[in-house]
Amino acid sequence: MAKKLFFIAVAATLLLNGSFAITYSTNEEECVDGVCFVPKNDDKGNQIYPIVSPVGYHDVKMISQAKRLTTLKGKNIALVGGSFMANTTHNELKKCIEEEFPDAKIYMFNDIGQAGPFSVFGTTDKTKAFQNKLKELKIDAVITGNCGCGLCTTKETGNSIAAEYIGIPTVTVGAPTFTAQIHSTGVNRGVPVLRSAEYPGAFASHSQKELKENARKVLWPQIKTALTTPITQKEIAEYAHEGKRPYDEIIYYGTFEEVQEYFRINNWTDGLPVIPPTDEKIQEYLKFTPYKASDVIGTLAVAYRECTVYTVAANAVMSGVPAEFMPICIAFAQGMNNGEWRKPLSSTHGWTPYAWLNGPLARQLGIDNQQGMISEANNKALGRFIDLCMLNLGGYYIKENRMGSFGYLTPFTFSEDDKACAELGWEPYHVTQGFDVNANTITNASCLSWGNNVTPSTTNPEKIKDVIAFDITEKQQNGLGNTNAQVYRTLFITEYVAKDLAKRYKSKDQLEDALIEAARRPLALRAYALYWANTGSQQNNRMTFEQEYNKLLKDAKEKAELTEVPDWYKPLIKDEKIDTIACMNKGETPILVTGDSSRNKIQTMPGGGYVTTEIKLPSNWNELVAPLGYEPIENFYLDVKFDTKNKNKNTRTQKPAAQQQQRRR
């Protein structure tokens, strides 16, 4: 469990990439003998929140540091910072430099300014201004300090890291219990060796005489050595392993407004306010899971961050989902391990992640599948959790590795109406994947569009099938369908329409087969899309349109055949047969009964792969949720039997979190 209020503030402040940062608090810590205690309120009476990190640990690409100086003679030296009696120690250090190197030029405090928060994913204006000032004054070395608490350590190291990034040697002054944090902060921000000078004890507990004496006799020799001794491979090997932090380490504290700004600076939020992820709040969420806080979900791409159950809970807290939704959140995060689901999410085509639930848990917790389902409060909160997962668990950042040209829809969630499926004789989606009807699952998915649903104006199941097939041929991946001929899609079908379809198609499997046969696209349209709207290159400079057409005709992957003209083209095409291509592959089109049960709607969602994960509940689940007003989960079971033997699971079943293989370092 994390240290709470009145913790010893030796923690580093973690940035979005596993590195660390600082923002400013309106209050001063109480420090005794180098130990700092977090106050419950600031000087204005506002509550202070001690927060943990919502991102897992991962490696940051290390910079190549500049060579250390051979001497300080004639150099321009900056003494910056200002924490923990720095006015006294820095001025004494200035005298030491002047005495030993009288031709050195020294710049103090306000001559340079401070770098503030430093992020490897986006340098702030303050940091840039600091770096520009260093360049303008042709600074050769930076001394910063003093590090006497967790908060000030990251502020002072911000100065040294900013300088190291532009090739200036540095040394950071810190009390004994904070030197390890100095090194780990540097490593987590990409600086292999962030050298420190260790002050002997607590700054604030020493007299002016002691501070000056220690600055001269203890710090100054260390500083000279740090700035003039070459960095060795031994040092790099030693410090590069200090970047990993405890998953539940408190990394920052501040008022509600300060926490919001801190998260904004670190890119830990989608731009909306978050609930501060304190350890106390997270412990409430962990009660609703069978896993341990330290269990590793996996090392999640694209940032390859080690993700623990505790980190998932931090993001669940931030998103505002109720604590009892924690099992759903863990299962979604487990699904993020799946490469087939994950691989398109950085595309410029703007794939939006979403998820749906099956099983009694969705009905017990009220995950909606009726009119306006993705906009209902519970569903929307889960969608926000997915958004934060993309940022903090996966490391997906707009303008960095989520490259959608026009951006992304907000992620969303909903459930399938398992009960309606049972009444129709259709298997709910999770049953088609081999799960028991009363198992609880979540399926991670993605899409390239939303809305533009179709309203069949007939009760004839054959004609409804054709209308869906027509819609499928129109809803391609990547605009006009200029990538793959057959793609993943999800079909949303309201109960009203499903009832009519079930008169002819006794299972989703039968409907899928009929759609595969009917949903064929004229090869000429496919060729036109590839020729004039090719994703990768200009085809018209390489071949004629006829050559493109004939190339596709011979390509086995296109599944081109001479077939009857699809019904919806017959008014336009006089030929009885034309070359067409298949638009679907078996097993790549989930069919979901969901949405407004009193409306005749279908919606085709082109998108990426799928992964279905079983949601694990603690053995005392009913006892946990009863005080919250929930009926026992057994009250939501369906008394219906489906044959789940020999089902073809084309999605990946996740291993328990504790069994996930951890990435080797």
Side-chain angles (χ1 to χ4, degrees), residues 443-570:
T443 300
N444 295 22
S446 64
C447 68
L448 282 162
S449 64
W450 179 253
N452 194 23
N453 41 55
V454 177
T455 53
S457 56
T458 176
T459 59
N460 183 324
E462 290 285 343
K463 289 303 179 185
I464 295 174
K465 176 263 297 180
D466 286 341
V467 167
I468 297 175
F470 183 14
D471 195 38
I472 287 171
T473 65
E474 295 288 304
K475 301 287 178 58
Q476 301 291 324
Q477 279 185 6
N478 303 342
L480 298 174
N482 49 289
T483 51
N484 299 321
Q486 299 87 36
V487 299
Y488 291 104
R489 297 176 186 83
T490 305
L491 298 180
F492 299 170
I493 302 178
T494 63
E495 183 182 0
Y496 189 103
V497 177
K499 286 179 178 178
D500 288 329
L501 285 166
K503 296 172 186 175
R504 169 65 179 83
Y505 306 102
K506 301 306 179 184
S507 68
K508 292 179 179 178
D509 192 61
Q510 287 185 12
L511 176 59
E512 182 187 21
D513 287 340
L515 289 170
I516 290 173
E517 183 178 354
R520 298 192 66 87
R521 187 184 189 199
L523 183 60
L525 295 183
R526 166 77 169 151
Y528 192 93
L530 273 172
Y531 195 72
W532 293 112
N534 193 288
T535 301
S537 61
Q538 293 183 5
Q539 297 298 92
N540 59 300
N541 291 330
R542 301 172 55 196
M543 65 182 76
T544 65
F545 180 82
E546 288 73 18
Q547 288 173 326
E548 178 77 84
Y549 186 97
N550 289 325
K551 179 170 69 76
L552 295 174
L553 189 61
K554 297 174 183 178
D555 189 341
K557 292 185 297 183
E558 299 293 319
K559 299 183 180 180
E561 295 179 13
L562 187 64
T563 68
E564 290 187 7
V565 176
D567 281 355
W568 49 93
Y569 288 120
K570 286 181 178 177

Side-chain angles (χ1 to χ4, degrees), residues 146-453:
N146 291 326
C147 300
C149 73
L151 199 61
C152 64
T153 300
T154 52
K155 179 175 68 174
E156 302 303 342
T157 54
N159 297 324
S160 52
I161 293 168
E164 293 282 354
Y165 262 78
I166 58 173
I168 300 175
T170 70
V171 60
T172 305
V173 177
T177 54
F178 297 98
T179 53
Q181 183 185 350
I182 291 170
H183 300 311
S184 66
T185 302
V187 170
N188 281 332
R189 288 180 177 228
V191 181
V193 179
L194 199 62
R195 281 181 165 164
S196 64
E198 185 173 291
Y199 183 86
F203 298 99
S205 64
H206 287 181
S207 66
Q208 290 288 309
K209 181 180 178 180
E210 289 174 311
L211 286 165
K212 292 178 181 180
E213 185 172 303
N214 286 327
R216 179 172 290 272
K217 295 182 178 180
V218 180
L219 291 180
W220 174 232
Q222 294 182 72
I223 289 171
K224 282 192 296 182
T225 300
L227 292 175
T228 59
T229 303
I231 293 173
T232 66
Q233 287 300 314
K234 182 180 178 180
E235 281 183 287
I236 294 173
E238 177 184 358
Y239 294 129
H241 293 287
E242 291 190 6
K244 191 167 184 178
R245 61 179 177 78
Y247 64 85
D248 60 351
E249 185 175 54
I250 295 173
I251 59 162
Y252 173 72
Y253 70 88
T255 65
F256 183 84
E257 289 76 15
E258 289 171 336
V259 169
Q260 304 309 312
E261 177 65 8
Y262 182 66
F263 274 63
R264 184 195 66 78
I265 288 172
N266 285 295
N267 207 10
W268 290 347
T269 175
D270 51 6
L272 300 175
V274 296
I275 295 175
T278 64
D279 178 73
E280 182 178 14
K281 191 73 174 176
I282 287 171
Q283 294 302 326
E284 297 176 14
Y285 281 61
L286 294 175
K287 295 175 184 176
F288 293 90
T289 171
Y291 299 111
K292 294 185 296 185
S294 59
D295 282 344
V296 176
I297 293 296
T299 300
L300 307 182
V302 290
Y304 295 99
R305 292 174 175 161
E306 183 181 86
C307 176
T308 63
V309 169
Y310 191 93
T311 308
V312 175
N315 284 275
V317 168
M318 290 165 57
S319 70
V321 300
E324 62 270 23
F325 284 28
M326 186 62 184
I328 301 172
C329 296
I330 292 174
F332 179 85
Q334 288 174 316
M336 292 180 71
N337 275 313
N338 185 272
E340 187 64 26
W341 169 76
R342 186 180 63 235
K343 67 182 182 182
L345 297 180
S346 294
S347 170
T348 56
H349 293 280
W351 305 68
T352 296
Y354 70 97
W356 70 82
L357 280 75
N358 289 93
L361 181 66
R363 296 185 287 280
Q364 183 189 36
L365 298 183
I367 309 303
D368 196 47
N369 54 39
Q370 292 297 305
Q371 190 276 328
M373 59 192 190
I374 73 166
S375 301
E376 193 274 339
N378 285 342
N379 298 18
K380 204 170 186 67
L382 276 172
R384 197 209 178 179
F385 168 77
I386 294 175
D387 215 5
L388 294 178
C389 281
M390 292 293 292
L391 283 169
N392 299 327
L393 303 186
Y396 288 88
Y397 298 99
I398 303 299
K399 291 183 172 62
E400 180 190 319
N401 50 24
R402 287 202 81 197
M403 303 305 294
S405 298
F406 302 111
Y408 300 84
L409 299 174
T410 298
F412 54 91
T413 59
F414 58 96
S415 66
E416 184 175 21
D417 192 340
D418 297 347
K419 186 177 179 181
C421 288
E423 291 173 354
L424 294 170
W426 284 8
E427 295 176 344
Y429 179 75
H430 66 318
V431 177
T432 69
Q433 300 302 294
F435 293 95
D436 183 80
V437 68
N438 289 316
N440 299 299
T441 66
I442 187 168
T443 300
N444 295 22
S446 64
C447 68
L448 282 162
S449 64
W450 179 253
N452 194 23
N453 41 55

Side-chain angles (χ1 to χ4, degrees), residues 106-120:
I106 303 168
Y107 295 88
M108 300 289 289
F109 301 111
N110 295 332
D111 296 332
I112 305 291
Q114 297 190 50
F118 187 94
S119 170
V120 295

Side-chain angles (χ1 to χ4, degrees), residues 575-605:
D575 297 330
E576 291 184 4
K577 292 187 176 183
I578 59 172
D579 294 323
T580 64
I581 59 167
C583 291
M584 295 172 60
N585 287 325
K586 183 69 174 178
E588 293 183 355
T589 310
I591 299 171
L592 307 179
V593 179
T594 193
D596 192 343
S597 59
S598 62
R599 192 68 167 95
N600 56 325
K601 293 277 190 176
I602 60 171
Q603 184 156 303
T604 302
M605 305 286 288

Side-chain angles (χ1 to χ4, degrees), residues 6-76:
F6 304 106
F7 77 103
I8 299 175
V10 297
T13 44
L14 184 74
L15 268 181
L16 59 95
N17 64 320
S19 57
F20 294 79
I22 182 66
T23 188
Y24 302 100
S25 178
T26 59
N27 63 298
E28 295 290 334
E29 301 95 333
E30 176 188 353
C31 296
V32 180
D33 294 330
V35 177
C36 302
F37 302 94
V38 179
K40 292 182 178 180
N41 300 93
D42 68 3
D43 52 10
K44 296 180 181 178
N46 298 310
Q47 181 180 350
I48 295 293
Y49 296 89
I51 62 170
V52 300
S53 172
V55 306
Y57 171 76
H58 80 141
D59 291 328
V60 178
K61 184 177 180 181
M62 296 293 150
I63 66 170
S64 296
Q65 290 178 265
K67 291 181 179 181
R68 303 301 94 170
L69 303 174
T70 57
T71 179
L72 298 183
K73 183 179 180 180
K75 302 301 182 184
N76 294 336

